[in-house]
């Protein structure tokens, strides 16, 4: 069992650090939020006074931070100058592909092995070690990260070289947003054409329109009892986080000169939904806006 540093024990990081403790590791946690740090201590982590202390003497350092700016600051200013030279660095935050590549390059130049390992799955999956990790980095760094990530997830996949984990994450979530909007439009139209929601679900879920957004996350209540639509779109995957990922996808599309007209449209629609009261709701709640039910000056009919 290893001595590990965990930086950023918020909604996701707390569950992940807890699973590492439960796997028998000694985990030094750091978070500037006293509340987050207290929760980590209660879960069995040892408290570090700052990111440098969490990194000091650790065999591996894991981070789960809000944005690329935080990741850059934490690694360049605190981790790289203080970690032991053989330490493995694992950033699980969702950040821009280019930024992940640049930070990993800096770490590599200083002799560290580092991977980007963003996740699919929300807070519940973080708590139950049910995350899916998409990992970018060298084969040897991936091999070292694997047992640590396996203690926090149900699937760990090597996506390719540095930044490939972030690339896989934003492409997946861009597809998810587009398929969710398509599912919402289809269900709204079906209702307006007089179809019963459950009947349309029974047909489309066995026909060529079938997709995860429908069968696991149906945006209208009823057909999928566990979906956030059955609890007023509370919890789940927030529109704020979906919008963050869509912005990262558009940034990557621009840098790589890839036309993504539906990705751009999905970003615009989620930005509108967020600005009109949807920011804290699950992303499937966009059906309310598309049906004209929560409009703040938006047109109700085309
Ligand atoms: P969060 O805001 O709950 O947690 C982030 C934590 O980082 C906070 O506790 C914050 O205090 C801490 N932090 C900020 N600056 C720091 C610093 N300099 N040093 C140490 N800690 C610092 O966010 P979250 O929901 O846990 O998300 C974390 C990452 O996971 C994000 O990149 C997000 O996009 C990604 N993600 C989230 C979900 C989800 O459902 N919440 C799902 C998949 C991926």
């Amino acid at each position: 069992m290893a001595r590990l540093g965990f930086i950023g024990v918020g909604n996701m990081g707390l569950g992940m650090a807890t699973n590492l403790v439960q796997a028998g590791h000694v985990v030094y946690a750091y978070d500037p939020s006293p509340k987050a740090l207290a929760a980590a201590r209660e879960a069995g982590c040892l408290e570090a006074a700052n990111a440098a202390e969490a990194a000091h003497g650790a065999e591996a350092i894991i981070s789960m931070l809000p944005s690329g700016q935080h990741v850059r600051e934490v690694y360049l200013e605190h981790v790289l100058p203080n970690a032991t030279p053989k330490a493995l660095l694992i950033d699980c935050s969702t950040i821009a592909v280019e930024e992940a590549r640049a930070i990993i390059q800096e770490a590599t130049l200083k002799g560290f092995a580092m991977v980007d390992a963003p996740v699919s799955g929300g807070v519940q999956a973080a708590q139950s070690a049910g995350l899916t990790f998409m990992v970018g980095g060298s084969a040897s760094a991936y091999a070292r990260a694997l047992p640590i990530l396996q203690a926090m997830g149900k699937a760990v996949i090597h996506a390719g070289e540095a930044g490939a984990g972030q690339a896989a994450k934003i492409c997946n979530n861009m597809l998810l947003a587009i398929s969710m909007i398509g599912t919402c439009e289809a269900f709204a139209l079906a209702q307006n054409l007089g179809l019963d929601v459950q009947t349309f679900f029974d047909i489309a879920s066995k026909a060529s329109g079938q997709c995860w957004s429908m069968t696991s996350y149906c945006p209208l209540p009823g057909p999928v009892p566990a979906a956030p639509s059955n609890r007023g779109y509370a919890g789940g995957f927030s529109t704020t986080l979906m919008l963050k990922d869509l912005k990262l996808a558009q940034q990557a599309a621009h840098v790589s000169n890839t036309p993504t007209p539906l990705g751009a449209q999905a970003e615009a629609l989620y930005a509108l939904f967020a600005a009109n009261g949807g920011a804290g709701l699950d992303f499937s709640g966009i059906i309310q806006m598309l049906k004209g039910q929560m409009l703040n000056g938006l047109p109700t009919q085309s």
Side-chain angles (χ1 to χ4, degrees), residues 61-138:
I61 294 135
I62 304 105
S63 53
M64 194 53 163
L65 297 160
S67 73
Q69 193 189 326
H70 297 91
V71 176
R72 175 175 286 277
E73 181 208 306
V74 161
Y75 279 92
L76 302 194
E77 293 177 24
H78 305 289
V79 173
L80 299 187
N82 291 290
T84 39
K86 293 229 162 62
L88 170 68
L89 314 179
I90 305 175
D91 178 44
C92 299
S93 327
T94 301
I95 67 171
V97 176
E98 293 302 315
E99 197 150 32
R101 284 186 183 142
I103 296 166
I104 293 177
Q105 193 178 15
E106 285 280 330
T108 308
L109 283 173
K110 295 206 158 51
F112 292 98
M114 181 169 186
V115 295
D116 54 299
V119 305
S120 176
V123 176
Q124 212 178 349
Q127 288 166 350
S128 64
L131 295 169
T132 294
F133 288 92
M134 307 153 218
V135 188
S138 68

Side-chain angles (χ1 to χ4, degrees), residues 171-187 209-215 217-219 242 246 262-263 266 270 283-284 286 290:
C171 291
N172 179 74
N173 279 18
M174 183 179 80
L175 177 56
L176 173 62
I178 293 168
S179 79
M180 178 54 78
I181 291 168
T183 302
C184 291
E185 289 189 3
F187 273 81
Q210 184 272 339
C211 64
W212 185 92
S213 293
M214 181 192 303
T215 56
Y217 225 77
C218 187
M242 176 54 94
L246 288 169
L262 289 181
Y270 272 107
F283 78 111
S284 64
I286 198 167
L290 295 169

Side-chain angles (χ1 to χ4, degrees), residues 7-13 30-33 36 64-67 70 73-74 92-94 119 121-123 169 236-237 241 244-245:
I7 302 174
V9 280
N11 290 326
M12 296 291 287
Y30 171 66
D31 195 298
S33 153
M64 194 53 163
L65 297 160
S67 73
H70 297 91
E73 181 208 306
V74 161
C92 299
S93 327
T94 301
V119 305
V123 176
K169 162 88 187 177
F237 185 51
L241 284 175
K244 171 191 169 182
D245 293 354

Side-chain angles (χ1 to χ4, degrees), residues 206-243:
K206 290 177 191 64
S208 48
Q210 184 272 339
C211 64
W212 185 92
S213 293
M214 181 192 303
T215 56
S216 296
Y217 225 77
C218 187
L220 283 180
V224 180
S229 54
N230 297 283
R231 42 178 202 273
Y233 305 97
F237 185 51
S238 79
T239 292
T240 302
L241 284 175
M242 176 54 94
L243 186 55

